[in-house]
Amino acid sequence: MLDTGLIVYPGFQVLGLSMCATFEIANTLAQREVYGITLLSERGGLVKTSAGFAVETEAFDARRFDTLLVMGDNVVRPVSPGMSAYLRTASAITRRLGSICTGADALAQAGLLDGRRATTHWCHARELQKNYPSIKVEEDRIFINDGPIWTAAGMSACVDLSLALVENDLGEELARMVSKQLVVYHRRAGGQSQFSVMQDLAPKSDRIQVVLTYARQHLKADLSVESLAQVANMSPRQFSRVFTSETGQSPAKAVENLRVEAARLMMEAGSHTVDAVAHEAGFGDQERMRRAFIRAFGQPPQVFRRAHRP
């Protein structure tokens, strides 16, 4: 059995506990108790969550765990000397250490992230980098695995991390079955951005939201103003005016951004040729995709593939 300890402290973000469901369902589908879950805290006993209710925990001791994961918080809190000491000691006998969100600060203070790549919630990433310059903080990642250390972004990224751990232990097929039971999409890749074009656009009306969803699902189709206006059941002139008013971008710019986002993820995954990426993302050819990447990032698409090679 893989003993898994979730390290909590007063005020920890309650969403982190959702990882327990991933491990629970993995046990059910594997038809054996693969994971044993223990909530740990420095002194043990009841520990209050960010939502106000408390959970029962066991105190730090010499027990050996297969995996230890430090929960995150809504704010960055000082890390106690006791937790730092426990993590340093545990690092010598634990197969995997990880963190959710601001839990990365605990690993950093214990010196466990020195010289490694790591991530955290995007709004705390720059502070983490400033406080610990020896860490390569990548703020635009869902999770990162660097050797025995796994760090994840904030909030729902804990589910992506737990699914990745299950996949690492039990294989992709079982992890996919777990995600299906959880009624979530199969886990987002670790290199996937914490940000989303769809979130940035944030239209006010369902009509424009439907158009954006259609565009994202049909990147290879004709996504001209005239075609999108038909989806919205509006005249091209009215559609263009309403779309720009609600999203702050022209339809053409929004479509390009959706295609760039899709292409970037495919380039980072490294499983398609550049020609295939340009075709699948709807650019048609490499040159149009290259110009779009330069406008968006100031770099050609090949840079993203090189940066994510193992």
Side-chain angles (χ1 to χ4, degrees):
M1 184 171 69
L2 304 178
D3 284 328
T4 302
L6 306 185
I7 299 175
V8 303
Y9 44 84
F12 75 96
Q13 224 300 322
V14 69
L15 186 58
L17 295 177
S18 62
M19 289 193 298
C20 296
T22 301
F23 300 127
E24 174 194 355
I25 294 171
N27 286 344
T28 300
L29 294 175
Q31 298 184 332
R32 59 191 175 93
E33 193 172 2
V34 179
Y35 299 99
I37 308 299
T38 303
L39 296 185
L40 300 169
S41 67
E42 188 168 353
R43 296 181 176 82
L46 291 174
V47 175
K48 272 195 173 184
T49 70
S50 58
F53 63 83
V55 294
E56 186 67 38
T57 68
E58 296 182 16
F60 295 159
D61 57 23
R63 176 179 170 183
R64 183 170 185 163
F65 286 89
D66 173 82
T67 302
L68 285 172
L69 301 170
V70 185
M71 298 294 98
D73 201 340
N74 295 325
V75 297
V76 179
R77 300 180 189 272
V79 180
S80 72
M83 181 181 290
S84 291
Y86 177 71
L87 290 171
R88 281 192 292 270
T89 300
S91 67
I93 57 173
T94 303
R95 179 170 68 100
R96 287 186 304 215
L97 283 168
S99 63
I100 309 299
C101 191
T102 60
D105 282 74
L107 298 182
Q109 184 164 308
L112 302 179
L113 297 183
D114 290 349
R116 295 188 182 275
R117 298 165 56 237
T119 193
T120 185
H121 193 294
W122 61 267
C123 68
H124 302 303
R126 294 183 183 180
E127 182 179 2
L128 179 66
Q129 184 68 84
K130 178 182 177 181
N131 293 338
Y132 301 95
S134 64
I135 304 171
K136 184 181 179 182
V137 179
E138 299 184 19
E139 65 180 272
D140 194 21
R141 293 293 173 264
I142 297 296
F143 67 84
I144 289 176
N145 171 214
D146 189 334
I149 306 294
W150 298 67
T151 54
M155 308 306 284
S156 64
C158 65
V159 176
D160 300 288
L161 175 63
S162 60
L163 285 168
L165 296 177
V166 169
E167 182 176 319
N168 184 254
D169 297 330
L170 302 174
E172 182 179 358
E173 179 59 23
L174 193 133
R176 185 191 63 79
M177 293 168 63
V178 172
S179 69
K180 188 174 181 180
Q181 287 286 336
L182 290 172
V183 196
V184 298
Y185 292 114
H186 190 36
R187 71 163 179 85
R188 294 172 287 183
Q192 186 167 334
S193 174
Q194 295 186 37
F195 305 98
S196 166
V197 171
M198 293 288 274
Q199 289 177 334
D200 291 341
L201 292 170
K204 299 178 178 64
S205 68
D206 290 344
R207 181 176 291 187
I208 300 302
Q209 181 65 61
V210 166
V211 170
L212 284 169
T213 301
Y214 172 85
R216 193 174 195 179
Q217 294 173 349
H218 299 83
L219 292 176
K220 292 187 288 185
D222 172 22
L223 298 180
S224 63
V225 170
E226 291 74 19
S227 298
L228 295 178
Q230 288 182 356
V231 175
N233 196 26
M234 301 167 70
S235 70
R237 183 177 179 180
Q238 181 190 22
F239 168 73
S240 184
R241 177 178 58 79
V242 172
F243 187 97
T244 303
S245 175
E246 291 195 14
T247 66
Q249 296 182 20
S250 69
K253 186 63 177 176
V255 167
E256 179 175 287
N257 286 338
L258 288 170
R259 285 173 168 157
V260 164
E261 181 178 65
R264 179 178 64 83
L265 293 175
M266 285 189 280
M267 292 298 295
E268 290 176 354
S271 55
H272 297 78
T273 65
V274 178
D275 276 336
V277 171
H279 175 71
E280 291 298 319
F283 287 108
D285 59 66
Q286 289 190 42
E287 181 55 27
R288 287 182 61 193
M289 183 170 75
R290 188 190 70 82
R291 291 198 299 266
F293 266 69
I294 295 295
R295 284 191 291 270
F297 307 117
Q299 297 176 320
Q302 289 84 350
V303 170
F304 293 84
R305 172 164 293 171
R306 288 196 296 269
H308 288 80
R309 282 176 180 161

